[in-house]
Amino acid sequence: MKTASMIGILVLILACGVSAFAQKPNFTGSWTMDRARSFGLPGNMNQTMVVTQNGDQIEVETKLIQPGNERTVKDSYTLDGKEREFTPPAPAGAPPGQTPPKGKRTAIWMTGGNGILVTEVTTAETPKGPVTSQVVRKWTISNGELVIAMYVDNPNSSYEAKRIFVKK
């Protein structure tokens, strides 16, 4: 009986050890948004991304495509939990010469290492005074697809958006 108990405990310890060292997802690749299954974004926008990941560093080049307007936004995340200053891109349609918003960002691996959480707080100077917004992005890979859930909170609204990408 003691032998069976010892074997059971050993199996449990090994199982815990294996899950503790489970490999984190690698987001590297060229991704195209599945417009039909995504929500919370302009109705006429499409999006592609090229993601390069090296350990805890992720580089992202996003192409936002709308009729008569295509722009590319480059960004990076360091997944170490440290708060970093960054300059978010000016919103589409912002008047020329407008002071770009300022922001602080924290990026971490989710508990269990099955995705990442990126939290951004930005402040934009407007004619009516400063406006502060918070965006939380949750990146996961599910069934070979990249899912980015976004939770946006600002003085004018709070909403959720989800973008589902398939690998090219």
Side-chain angles (χ1 to χ4, degrees):
M1 191 69 160
K2 277 186 160 183
T3 304
S5 295
M6 291 299 286
I7 291 173
I9 290 171
L10 183 58
V11 168
L12 182 61
I13 290 171
L14 287 173
C16 290
V18 169
S19 68
F21 292 106
Q23 191 168 15
K24 296 173 183 171
N26 190 322
F27 299 101
T28 296
S30 295
W31 301 91
T32 300
M33 184 175 67
D34 182 338
R35 182 75 184 103
R37 295 187 303 142
S38 300
F39 65 87
L41 58 156
N44 60 358
M45 186 177 84
N46 283 305
Q47 185 173 337
T48 62
M49 292 191 324
V50 176
V51 179
T52 306
Q53 180 177 340
N54 187 2
D56 289 342
Q57 184 68 32
I58 296 178
E59 303 289 329
V60 183
E61 183 173 299
T62 305
K63 188 177 288 187
L64 303 168
I65 307 158
Q66 292 179 292
N69 181 21
E70 185 175 302
R71 62 188 178 124
T72 301
V73 177
K74 292 184 179 186
D75 211 343
S76 65
Y77 307 123
T78 302
L79 305 171
D80 62 3
K82 294 180 183 174
E83 184 176 80
R84 290 182 164 72
E85 291 187 9
F86 78 106
T87 302
Q98 177 177 331
T99 304
K102 294 182 179 185
K104 294 187 179 195
R105 170 187 291 156
T106 305
I108 60 169
W109 286 104
M110 291 171 37
T111 303
N114 61 346
I116 66 170
L117 285 176
V118 180
T119 303
E120 300 173 349
V121 177
T122 60
T123 302
E125 293 298 328
T126 72
K128 296 180 181 180
V131 174
T132 300
S133 300
Q134 178 173 323
V135 176
V136 176
R137 289 182 179 85
K138 177 182 173 183
W139 288 41
T140 56
I141 293 188
S142 177
N143 298 320
E145 298 176 326
L146 170 58
V147 178
I148 302 176
M150 295 179 15
Y151 307 92
V152 179
D153 187 27
N154 64 48
N156 298 322
S157 65
S158 292
Y159 63 93
E160 177 183 352
K162 185 177 279 186
R163 297 177 187 184
I164 298 172
F165 293 87
V166 294
K167 219 169 204 178
K168 289 185 192 179

